[in-house]
Amino acid sequence: EQMDQHAFHRLIAFKLASNGFEVPPARNGNAESENQVLQLASDLFHKYAEQSRLLTGHLNPPDRRIQDFLDDALASTGITIKLPTAAINMDRYGMARQLSIPDDPSVSEFHNGQMDSYRLCNGVLHNPLNDRRTTKGAFH
């Protein structure tokens, strides 16, 4: 089911707030009422975040296997790497795309020291600085 852009942004704001992240204020005509709803629901979000915090440390089965592999592979080095246990569930098509570039319609590019990202009509292009993929030999 397709959601309009405003409803999609509201869903993302609620998911961020319920996971304890700071939510930027809404920018549309209903910004004041939406911000009031987020403030009213903040107690629920804090309670949910606390319950989620109590359940942290429990990995799903694939992540548990990855963590076990990392623990075994790095045991002799003394290095410990832990997979993140808190995550936002990306349960709607396009949610990761919306979160992967700044939420400003006038901004269609993002640049940092590791990558350049561009918002395109069919998604987001992430161009890493040290991309080792090449077409060398493919067309020669």
Side-chain angles (χ1 to χ4, degrees), residues 8-27:
F8 201 62
H9 283 240
R10 192 172 41 219
L11 173 67
I12 290 172
F14 275 95
K15 282 187 169 282
L16 289 171
S18 68
N19 281 284
F21 294 101
E22 186 175 329
V23 178
R27 291 180 318 215

Side-chain angles (χ1 to χ4, degrees), residues 42-98:
S42 68
D43 288 338
L44 287 172
F45 294 145
H46 289 300
K47 183 177 180 180
Y48 176 79
E50 178 62 20
Q51 288 174 345
S52 295
R53 186 191 65 78
L54 292 173
L55 295 173
T56 58
H58 301 287
L59 295 171
N60 60 45
D63 285 352
R64 170 68 7 218
R65 289 190 296 273
I66 293 168
Q67 185 65 58
D68 291 343
F69 170 79
L70 289 172
D71 291 344
D72 290 342
L74 299 172
S76 63
T77 66
I79 296 173
T80 303
I81 295 177
K82 295 292 181 193
L83 293 177
T85 55
I88 296 175
N89 186 6
M90 302 290 174
D91 58 354
R92 299 283 177 129
Y93 175 80
M95 189 173 291
R97 179 183 342 163
Q98 288 295 325

Side-chain angles (χ1 to χ4, degrees), residues 58-136:
H58 301 287
L59 295 171
N60 60 45
D63 285 352
R64 170 68 7 218
R65 289 190 296 273
I66 293 168
Q67 185 65 58
D68 291 343
F69 170 79
L70 289 172
D71 291 344
D72 290 342
L74 299 172
S76 63
T77 66
I79 296 173
T80 303
I81 295 177
K82 295 292 181 193
L83 293 177
T85 55
I88 296 175
N89 186 6
M90 302 290 174
D91 58 354
R92 299 283 177 129
Y93 175 80
M95 189 173 291
R97 179 183 342 163
Q98 288 295 325
L99 290 169
S100 67
I101 201 160
D103 182 35
D104 183 351
S106 67
V107 176
S108 60
E109 298 179 7
F110 176 77
H111 307 278
N112 66 20
Q114 277 99 36
M115 72 172 26
D116 298 320
S117 297
Y118 304 92
R119 188 187 323 260
L120 306 173
C121 61
N122 60 342
V124 176
L125 169 67
H126 297 295
N127 196 8
L129 180 67
N130 296 319
D131 191 356
R132 293 191 176 135
R133 294 173 294 172
T134 180
T135 57
K136 183 177 180 181

